[in-house]
Amino acid sequence: MSTGPTESTRPTTGGSDTWTARLSRWIEGLVPKGQWLPDRQPAYVASWVYVFGVACLASLVVVIVSGLVLTLGGVTWWHSSSVGHFVNSVHLWSVELFFATMVIHLWGKFFMAAWRGHRGLTWATGALAFFGSLGTAFSGYLIQTNFDSQWISTQAKDGLNAAGIGAYFNVMNVGQMVLWHVSLLPLVVGVIVGLHLLLVRRRGVVPPIGAEAPAQVMEPGAARGPDGPAPSEPRPAPEVSSDDRVRTGSGVRP
């Protein structure tokens, strides 16, 4: 009698048609390897104008965390508790910092023509995140449960009624505004910001006007010569390591 492994017990290797293989290919297709968390960046990233995007993202993290703490405490917690008042102040000032850095980031990328190099969708998602954040901040002002929120809600109600959409957005309903501010609008903004970051990692940060993009953020499948980039491609910009002392300046000139 044969004691070798039968066809049903013999180990099998995963094929290329498994769902895990398809998921792996899909993830690798979103962002090429080495671009999710690169340890080297072009020299022009040392310029101050590239700081505000990261500062905006960091402020958003503080906004979300402090907002979750406020949600656990309830809509009147920050009026009756010193801790709640402190968390509410952290939430407010992180929102102020978020919008300040986002506006500077927006205008900085506008004057850099950040839609260059097939980055039009990256620019569009950033603009959508800005407008979505405006609605989120507006609903946040409406749920302060103080005189300011009452005044803002009555003025906003008149404006929405004049626009013919007051029946769909009852800004004087605190419960409805809490739902918009806590659940719906942050989810929309979070999805847009996630897509924006994904596109930034996929295309790379936009180089300053006059500088050239590094080779690793070029389009996948671009033609390359035997000794490096093809003549139609830009030359790679010098890179700096996170351990090296980066030099300042506007970037690398051709």
Side-chain angles (χ1 to χ4, degrees), residues 200-220:
V200 171
R201 290 293 88 203
R202 179 178 176 85
R203 304 291 184 185
V205 296
V206 63
I209 297 175
E212 295 173 337
Q216 65 265 28
V217 295
M218 295 178 184
E219 288 296 317

Side-chain angles (χ1 to χ4, degrees), residues 44 52 88 95 99 132 135 166 174 182-183 195 203 205 233 245:
Y44 52 72
F52 293 100
N88 183 61
V95 170
F99 273 97
V174 177
V182 175
S183 300
L195 179 59
R203 304 291 184 185
V205 296
E233 294 179 335
R245 178 179 299 175

Side-chain angles (χ1 to χ4, degrees), residues 50-233:
Y50 290 93
V51 173
F52 293 100
V54 179
C56 179
L57 183 61
S59 303
L60 180 60
V61 172
V62 179
V63 169
I64 294 174
V65 173
S66 59
L68 290 175
V69 176
L70 288 174
T71 304
L72 295 176
V75 294
T76 61
W77 178 49
W78 54 85
H79 295 301
S80 58
S81 169
S82 58
V83 177
H85 184 71
F86 171 77
V87 177
N88 183 61
S89 299
V90 171
H91 187 69
L92 171 64
W93 285 108
S94 59
V95 170
E96 300 286 349
L97 184 61
F98 170 72
F99 273 97
T101 53
M102 181 167 54
V103 169
I104 298 175
H105 177 64
L106 177 67
W107 282 107
K109 296 308 173 184
F110 175 79
F111 287 111
M112 288 176 61
W115 47 84
R116 292 176 291 122
H118 304 284
R119 294 181 176 88
L121 188 57
T122 308
W123 168 261
T125 53
L128 287 176
F130 172 73
F131 288 111
S133 300
L134 291 178
T136 308
F138 171 69
S139 60
Y141 278 112
L142 296 177
I143 63 174
Q144 293 180 102
T145 60
N146 55 16
F147 179 77
D148 290 341
S149 62
Q150 294 178 19
W151 176 262
I152 294 171
S153 62
T154 53
Q155 300 303 309
K157 185 63 176 177
D158 293 339
L160 293 176
N161 287 337
I165 57 176
Y168 302 100
F169 304 99
N170 186 5
V171 293
M172 300 188 70
N173 187 332
V174 177
Q176 185 180 127
M177 290 301 102
V178 169
L179 177 65
W180 278 96
H181 184 72
V182 175
S183 300
L184 301 178
L185 290 175
L187 179 62
V188 173
V189 173
V191 171
I192 297 175
V193 169
L195 179 59
H196 183 70
L197 294 176
L198 175 66
L199 292 171
V200 171
R201 290 293 88 203
R202 179 178 176 85
R203 304 291 184 185
V205 296
V206 63
I209 297 175
E212 295 173 337
Q216 65 265 28
V217 295
M218 295 178 184
E219 288 296 317
R224 307 185 67 84
D227 299 325
S232 60
E233 294 179 335

